[in-house]
Amino acid sequence: MDLLNAIRSFIKVVEAGSIAGGARNLGLSPAAVSQNLARLETHLQVRLLTRTTRSMALTPPGSLYYERVRHIERDLAQAELAVTTPESEPQGRLCIASTSAFGRHVLAPLIPAFSARYPLLSIELVMADRKVNHAREDVDVSLRITPQLEDHLLARHIARIPFICCAAPGYLARAGLPATPEALHDHSCLVFRYPVDGRFLPWGFMRDGMRFEARFGRVLISDDIDALTQMALNDGGITRLAEFVVRPHLDAGRLVPLFEFGDSGQAYAQTEPMDIYLCLADRFALTTKVRVFMEYLQQCLGQQWCAQA
């Protein structure tokens, strides 16, 4: 049996939704495609598809098998390119997934120069505050924060970015300046909620080598960091923002940083930073195009943020 052609028939049938459609895409007869499917199921000793005269559906084992083999032709082509032209310029589609705020404020400004450096690359930036599925969504690499890490992904720490608690001068004039993170319980706090599981993003602090989390009083909630920033700018309360979001507002005096130093010059509490990880589906995903993107990102971020975990 020609296993690769049998797998190709299976993939095209699933993508087309029918044996006839898959056969047209392959340039084969429906009978030949049906024979390929039957041989593949015999080889695997499992039924992949339930087929009637009017419908076709993947079985649970068929769904699992499809997820594992759906990119096999692409992977084979990439492998052939890698060994036949190892010094060739990166090319093809590069899909990068990122949290919305990091993608909007950090990646988007960096990508045009990267694209100019590698003009044969077609780059897609997907921004979502959820755990993207690399295989199902055809993602080459994702940028994630610690709560989004998954055991099956390969993760490389790429940046450590400060979080800054802050508020607008107008809010602080009205509500008073909190002396310590514990005082946040008496203030309005602008809090990020994860859109996937509904959890609040905790506000972690370090003091004397011990970690603790702030307790919130009254809260205003959003699943969008930029919305929280606008609330803070309009005297809505105290929020905690990554430096890449808040820095322009701090420099312009629109927001005021909190909990930086006490009267003795010692920090009351150090805000827990945000760690950024570059994630791959597996070691085979470290293709030339992914490698050059990772090197570019490390070079750019290393100029501003420490990349040591």
Side-chain angles (χ1 to χ4, degrees):
M1 179 187 69
D2 187 338
L3 181 59
L4 183 57
N5 277 331
I7 294 173
R8 184 180 288 114
S9 292
F10 169 68
I11 294 170
K12 294 300 184 183
V13 166
V14 173
E15 290 175 345
S18 68
I19 290 176
R24 283 194 299 271
N25 292 336
L26 289 166
L28 299 174
S29 68
V33 171
S34 293
Q35 290 175 359
N36 283 341
L37 292 176
R39 293 188 186 106
L40 182 59
E41 289 177 331
T42 299
H43 171 73
L44 297 172
Q45 296 186 334
V46 66
R47 182 168 292 280
L48 300 173
L49 298 161
T50 56
R51 304 185 287 276
T52 68
T53 55
R54 293 187 176 182
S55 64
M56 182 205 75
L58 284 165
T59 64
S63 296
L64 178 62
Y65 191 70
Y66 176 69
E67 288 301 322
R68 297 299 180 90
V69 302
R70 61 192 294 253
H71 296 309
I72 193 168
E73 288 186 281
R74 181 201 66 182
D75 293 343
L76 287 172
Q78 289 178 343
E80 181 177 347
L81 181 64
V83 299
T84 56
T85 55
E87 302 302 324
S88 63
E89 184 175 355
Q91 56 188 289
R93 178 178 179 269
L94 175 63
C95 184
I96 305 160
S98 171
T99 60
S100 296
F102 189 77
R104 181 176 298 115
H105 293 277
V106 179
L107 292 184
L110 295 177
I111 283 177
F114 177 73
S115 178
R117 184 180 298 183
Y118 300 105
L120 298 182
L121 281 177
S122 174
I123 301 169
E124 179 176 354
L125 177 60
V126 176
M127 298 193 299
D129 292 311
R130 57 180 174 79
K131 296 176 180 178
V132 298
N133 186 302
H134 279 230
R136 185 174 297 116
E137 300 178 60
D138 203 15
V139 169
D140 295 292
V141 59
S142 62
L143 282 302
R144 303 183 179 212
I145 60 176
T146 303
Q148 296 174 319
L149 296 180
E150 297 177 276
D151 290 339
H152 66 276
L153 294 177
L154 296 180
R156 179 168 183 171
H157 188 262
I158 200 159
R160 172 160 286 177
I161 300 170
F163 267 124
I164 299 173
C165 288
C166 57
Y171 171 82
L172 295 175
R174 182 180 76 242
L177 185 71
T180 66
E182 286 84 353
L184 289 170
H185 189 264
D186 299 321
H187 283 265
S188 295
C189 295
L190 313 177
V191 182
F192 179 81
R193 188 195 294 276
Y194 284 110
V196 175
D197 56 20
R199 293 182 298 116
F200 287 160
L201 180 66
W203 293 11
F205 294 88
M206 298 294 296
R207 180 191 288 130
D208 298 328
M210 299 293 293
R211 182 186 183 276
F212 66 98
E213 292 183 3
R215 293 174 57 235
F216 303 127
R218 179 174 178 267
V219 295
L220 297 177
I221 305 163
S222 179
D223 63 356
D224 183 81
I225 293 297
D226 289 325
L228 294 175
T229 305
Q230 290 301 314
M231 292 180 192
L233 289 168
N234 287 276
D235 302 336
I238 297 170
T239 193
R240 190 187 72 150
L241 301 171
E243 186 181 40
F244 57 74
V245 176
V246 75
R247 177 51 58 191
H249 303 298
L250 296 178
D251 293 344
R254 293 186 292 268
L255 293 174
V256 176
L258 305 177
F259 315 131
E260 288 197 317
F261 297 99
D263 294 336
S264 64
Q266 299 297 317
Y268 280 122
Q270 181 181 3
T271 307
E272 191 174 42
M274 175 173 62
D275 288 311
I276 302 291
Y277 295 84
L278 185 146
C279 298
L280 304 175
D282 52 46
R283 62 187 179 88
F284 298 106
L286 188 57
T287 58
T288 300
K289 60 186 178 182
V290 170
R291 178 179 52 78
V292 296
F293 173 70
M294 181 172 64
E295 292 171 352
Y296 173 78
L297 198 57
Q298 288 176 316
Q299 178 186 11
C300 292
L301 300 186
Q303 297 171 2
Q304 187 170 7
W305 296 301
C306 174
Q308 297 298 319

